[in-house]
Each structure stands twice: as structure tokens, then as C-alpha cells.
Amino acid sequence: MAKHRMNYGRMSAEAADRVAAVTSGRPSTPLQTSWFEFLLDGSLLEKHLQKSNADPTPVQLMVQFLEQASKPSVNEQNQVQPPADNRRNRTLKLLALKVAAHMKWDLDSLEKGLTIPVLNMLLNELLCVSKVPPGVKHVDLDLSTLPPTTAMAVIIYNRWAIRTIVLSSFPEKQTKPGPHQINMLNIVQQEKEMTENILTVLKEQATDSITVLEGALQLKKDFYVHTLRTLDLLAADAAANGETESSTAGLRISADDLRCQVHYDLGGIFFQQGCTDQPTYEKARDHFRQTKELLKKLDSTVHVHLDEKRLAGYWNACRALTGDCDPCDPQTTPYDQINSLIRAHNHQAVMEAFIKDNVSRSLPNHFRRSVLREFLYKVQQGVCGLRRGASPCHRIPGDHLDL
């Protein structure tokens, strides 16, 4: 092996390995395509993405392209400088955008595969190449007057902003670093600090992002999102102001398709805010209702990427939290019925529901105890309409309640 390497002088390690594998005559697994090969061959990326088991995967490629493009440079005085704005780095960022375009800008997949700092870099680059006016707040832009791909870039960024706020509120499992990971702690800490800084900005701008997306819901026209081809068109005409062929040559997103996804994302942020602002649960419920209705209406979707089980969970939670349950609705669960009756202060009906359930035994004991504790607390507080001896739980024998 060493002899083969010596014959190739200054050949790269990757190239030497390729030649060595061939000349040795032994079988070998295909070597992973290196990120720099996509810089040398402009047609390679599209061919690579068409493979069923591409190695590296699309997400891995995006990370490699953006990491290389964001590496700081060192000047002649050995001083660290920000990443250079040169052709190489611009091409690397464009390659990352092309991979995202291949994935049809599926934020769900991008969020699972990319860290917040990397995805933030990717979407800021999307804003840049889409000719979103720099230095202007998105909330001050009139989406109806922007080129379709420009408006779509603004919508995608603000969708990601509110989704990231929601996702950051979920608890994360902390993993302890092993001995081989100790040297990575500084890098992890730096990424954590970057993430916290980005989240701070996103939370400060949350109201603006919500306003932008609510405005997008009012637009009754189709949009276009960048594809590999339109990104090539922009690269070929760097001086374009957005009113180019690429504005309407992208992937068409129907108005209902876009509205369905935006309603879902807005429902998520309002549901998260409901923890500290109860009335926003009603806004969340209304957005999830619109999402469900649009999903039924759409024969096929391009831009909608959502978890329908999570949507169902959000919907049921919102109905229970807002009391938006019709006890006569055959689709209403016993939980919904009882929560609705409690909110309506219909204590007699609550009692009858429990008596009826004494036969079917569909309600678990912990739920029955929870309701009993709630009524006992209200009795102690002297809530109007409840007095000791009048609580529905007091009028149901304990053995029937299984308490």
C-alpha cells in the first residue's frame, strides 16, 4: 500500500485510496463521494441525488457543504478572518440549497437532520438568493407584490422560525459524552450557545413571524418554490432582481396546499402559547380545524408535510381545553363529553355520565379520581352552584365510583 502511495506523489489521500483499491485486485465497497467532487463536476449532484441509497445522504451533503462554506480563513498575519465571500463558498452554499430543493423544502426532514445553526444558515442563504430585500423586516413586506419564489422564501423562513420555537419547548434527552467525546465538549458548547442566541432572536420576532404567516393565509394565489433548475438560473444571472424566469419556473404550490401547512404551523405556536395565555388555545383549535378541512379537500399535496397523528392529538387536546365538544356527537369520546359538561357547569349531566359509565367501565379510575378531586376542591372553595352534598360525586356512592 505504501508503495502505491509513493508513486502518486502529491495525490490526495482519497485519490490514492481509489487507485490502491483498484490495483490491489481485492474487492472493496464503493468509496463515499467527497464533497469537493461536486465542486469539480457540476452535473454530479443531480446524478448523486437520484440514487436510491446515496452516500452521503442528502442531509449529510448539506451539512458538509455548509460546514466548508462557513470555515473561517487565516490571513498572512495568521489572524482568523470570517469566511471569505468567494466563488468557492458561494458555490458550496448553492449546492446546499439545491439539495434542499431536491427535498422539496420539507422542513420536517430538514429539522430532523440539521441542527438549528446549520438550518438557520441554509434558510438565510435562501432569503439571499431569492432576492428578499435586505435590511427590511419581513412583517413590513407585502407578500402579494413580491415575485412568487421570493414570497415563498419569506414564508418558509417564518414557518421554520415558529416551528423551531415550538420544538425547542420539548424536553430533550441529554446524553453523557464518552471518553472519546471529551474533546468535542468545547464544540458542543459553542453550538449550544449559537442555538440559544438564535432562539432568543426567533422568540423576539415570534409576533412578526405569526403576522407574516397570517398574511400569507389571505393570499388566494399559487406560489412557486425553488428547484434545482431555478437555482441554476439565479446563479447564471446573479444580477437579477427576482423578476426573472426563475420566479415562475419553480415547483408550483397551490394556494390550498400552502394554507394547509401554514394553518398547521400556526396552530402549533398558538397551542404552545396557550400554556401561559389560555385564549390562544381557541386560535390553535381554529387553525387545526382549517388544517383538517383542507387535508380532506386536497387530492394530492406537494408542500404539506405533517404528522397526522400529532394533528389528531392537537385537535383532541384543543377541543378538551376549549370545551368545544358536543356531548351528542357520536365521535366525541367519554373524556370529551365529561370535560365539556364540567366546563358548562352541567353537574347533573356529569353525574348521569358517571352512573352510565358504571356499567361500561370505560373510564379509568385515575380519571374518575381526578374529577372527584376537582369537585371536592370547588365545594371547599364555595363555587356557585356547588354545595356540600350537591356535588355529583357526592351523590354517587363510593363503591360505584371505585374510589
Side-chain angles (χ1 to χ4, degrees), residues 25-44:
R26 57 181 171 78
S28 63
T29 57
L31 291 170
Q32 186 183 74
T33 308
S34 298
W35 62 268
F36 64 82
E37 294 181 56
F38 296 96
L39 283 175
L40 303 174
D41 183 353
S43 65
L44 183 59

Side-chain angles (χ1 to χ4, degrees), residues 23-155:
T23 56
S24 65
R26 57 181 171 78
S28 63
T29 57
L31 291 170
Q32 186 183 74
T33 308
S34 298
W35 62 268
F36 64 82
E37 294 181 56
F38 296 96
L39 283 175
L40 303 174
D41 183 353
S43 65
L44 183 59
L45 180 63
E46 197 163 353
K47 295 175 184 175
H48 181 83
L49 294 174
Q50 297 303 321
K51 296 178 182 177
S52 56
N53 295 306
D55 185 19
T57 65
V59 168
Q60 289 171 338
L61 267 183
M62 274 189 287
V63 172
Q64 292 177 20
F65 291 149
L66 292 172
E67 281 183 347
Q68 293 297 325
S70 60
K71 277 188 175 180
S73 57
V74 179
N75 61 17
E76 295 178 355
Q77 288 73 39
N78 208 30
Q79 296 172 323
V80 177
Q81 303 291 313
D85 181 20
N86 53 31
R87 181 179 178 183
R88 169 188 177 276
N89 287 346
R90 285 193 297 271
T91 302
L92 284 167
K93 291 176 183 178
L94 181 64
L95 288 170
L97 290 174
K98 285 185 175 182
V99 178
H102 169 76
M103 297 173 67
K104 297 182 179 178
W105 305 98
D106 177 2
L107 285 181
D108 192 50
S109 297
L110 293 173
E111 288 160 348
K112 290 175 182 176
L114 303 178
T115 63
I116 290 176
V118 172
L119 192 43
N120 178 61
M121 188 190 315
L122 177 76
L123 295 182
N124 271 288
E125 187 62 23
L126 173 64
L127 294 174
C128 181
V129 302
S130 300
K131 307 301 185 292
V132 175
V136 179
K137 289 185 177 181
H138 292 177
V139 73
D140 294 330
L141 296 171
D142 183 353
L143 296 181
S144 65
T145 64
L146 295 176
T149 49
T150 305
M152 197 64 192
V154 174
I155 293 170

Side-chain angles (χ1 to χ4, degrees), residues 295-307:
L295 271 178
K296 293 177 183 177
K297 180 179 176 182
L298 292 167
D299 294 327
S300 61
T301 61
V302 174
H303 197 61
V304 176
H305 302 281
L306 55 83
D307 184 337

Side-chain angles (χ1 to χ4, degrees), residues 313-338:
Y314 270 137
W315 173 244
N316 290 330
C318 286
R319 295 182 72 194
L321 290 164
T322 60
D324 182 29
C325 300
D326 181 0
C328 299
D329 184 351
Q331 299 297 318
T332 302
T333 66
Y335 295 98
D336 293 334
Q337 292 175 349
I338 291 175

